[in-house]
Amino acid sequence: MSAAVATGSLRDCDEARTGLRNAVVKRHAHSCPRLSAFGCFLCLTKINWGIGMMAMPYYLHLAGPWCGTLFFVVSMVLAADGASCLVRVRESVPRCAQATTYAALVKTLLGRWGEAGAILSLCLANWGSAVAWIKYIGDNLARFIPEMHVSGATWSLAVCCTLLPCAFVENVAPLERVSGLGLFSGQAFALLLTYKAGWHWKHFGNYLLHQPQISLNGLAVAAGIAVFCNEGMVVLTPSVHGEMQDPRRYSFALVAMVLYFSTNYLVVAFAGDFLFSYISGSVVCQEVSLSFDASPLFRIAT
């Protein structure tokens, strides 16, 4: 009799603990802003859309127009498939349902060593891009506001201090509006670059004919750039999927993001390579930088 009472008491305690945990999770979910399908699209697009855009003309110059296009599309499809696999894991493995970050999902499946490996890989993969992005902003601010006589290094330090609090943001949903603003700025840059290249559209056919369609010498570097551009959407997927109002609409946001992002990046690649390597007669380097003397609009977009 006492053993049965003890067993019943333990079962009641387990049920109460489970009910309390579920109540906390539900309360936390209702207290935090939730992502719409459009918000998911914005976050996924903006996490991919970054400093890699500046290297796209260089990427296309290395790989060749047709090989570069094919490889970039294939890398995007593989990245989208990886993101979809993470979603299926969250939905099909019960213990992964509460894992709302990439590292937490890896920890749930592979343990602490797997989590440590995932975090180390993320740090190694993103360190260079973070440094390049901050340096790019700092150098352009120094050129944009020369009257302040502030060096690019000082601007870069100021940018670091300004962005540091973002590391403590635990939820993705509040960043929806910021992602929209950043995406608008990136889209403005892509449109202005395309518009400037469009002045010479009559020469575009000759540009395609004179470019090597496949360039094996630079393919390895080009492949690294393409993969680097697409890693963000995979890493952010568990977070955005876990914070969506209707997670079933994730696939629509993912497809829209892949089409929109791929189109814009390839347009920047072709417009930049055409404008700066063929029209200007120079060699495309690792980033695109428009002249600030062109117009105030070009200065702001750059």
Side-chain angles (χ1 to χ4, degrees):
M1 174 66 98
S2 9
V5 171
T7 303
S9 300
L10 288 174
R11 187 182 300 110
D12 291 340
C13 289
D14 289 339
E15 291 177 355
R17 190 181 299 110
T18 302
L20 179 61
R21 186 186 303 114
N22 292 336
V24 170
V25 170
K26 289 180 179 179
R27 189 182 304 116
H28 177 72
H30 288 297
S31 63
C32 295
R34 309 297 289 175
L35 277 173
S36 62
F38 181 67
C40 176
F41 161 79
L42 285 179
C43 290
L44 287 176
T45 305
K46 189 59 192 74
I47 193 66
N48 262 24
W49 196 313
I51 191 65
M53 178 177 63
M54 302 300 171
M56 284 304 294
Y58 183 60
Y59 159 79
L60 198 73
H61 198 75
L62 289 175
W66 305 119
C67 181
T69 300
L70 178 62
F71 192 88
F72 189 82
V73 171
V74 169
S75 68
M76 278 299 300
V77 171
L78 291 176
D81 181 66
S84 299
C85 288
L86 292 180
V87 169
R88 289 197 294 272
V89 168
R90 291 193 75 249
E91 292 176 341
S92 59
V93 181
R95 68 179 188 274
C96 294
Q98 302 302 323
T100 56
T101 66
Y102 181 78
L105 187 61
V106 173
K107 178 184 178 181
T108 304
L109 295 172
L110 303 178
R112 292 189 179 276
W113 283 107
E115 179 191 27
I119 293 175
L120 178 61
S121 299
L122 290 176
C123 290
L124 292 175
N126 291 283
W127 177 263
S129 63
V131 171
W133 191 233
I134 291 173
K135 185 177 185 302
Y136 181 81
I137 295 174
D139 290 345
N140 279 337
L141 284 173
R143 297 170 59 199
F144 182 72
I145 318 176
E147 298 81 7
M148 293 188 65
H149 303 290
V150 177
S151 66
T154 304
W155 276 118
S156 297
L157 181 61
V159 170
C160 287
C161 296
T162 304
L163 295 179
L164 187 60
C166 296
F168 300 96
V169 177
E170 296 185 359
N171 299 309
V172 177
L175 301 177
E176 180 176 345
R177 293 182 180 179
V178 180
S179 296
L181 178 61
L183 188 58
F184 173 80
S185 302
Q187 184 67 79
F189 176 84
L191 291 175
L192 285 170
L193 184 61
T194 306
Y195 170 71
K196 191 170 184 180
W199 294 348
H200 311 279
W201 67 272
K202 293 182 179 179
H203 303 284
F204 190 73
N206 291 330
Y207 155 75
L208 292 178
L209 291 175
H210 286 82
Q211 296 299 310
Q213 302 309 311
I214 299 177
S215 178
L216 297 179
N217 293 333
L219 190 58
V221 177
I225 295 175
V227 173
F228 160 76
C229 289
N230 302 328
E231 63 175 330
M233 59 185 285
V234 179
V235 175
L236 195 67
T237 285
S239 299
V240 295
H241 182 260
E243 295 186 29
M244 289 188 69
Q245 295 173 358
D246 185 2
R248 295 172 299 179
R249 297 184 62 82
Y250 171 83
S251 58
F252 296 100
L254 179 64
V255 171
M257 175 267 170
V258 168
L259 294 175
Y260 176 78
F261 176 81
S262 301
T263 300
N264 276 279
Y265 259 49
L266 288 174
V267 166
V268 168
F270 276 96
D273 187 37
F274 168 63
L275 185 61
F276 296 113
S277 74
Y278 184 77
I279 297 300
S280 300
S282 59
V283 177
V284 172
C285 296
Q286 296 179 8
E287 67 178 36
V288 175
S289 181
L290 297 180
S291 172
F292 284 166
D293 298 329
S295 70
L297 191 59
F298 276 109
R299 294 179 67 184
I300 293 172
T302 304

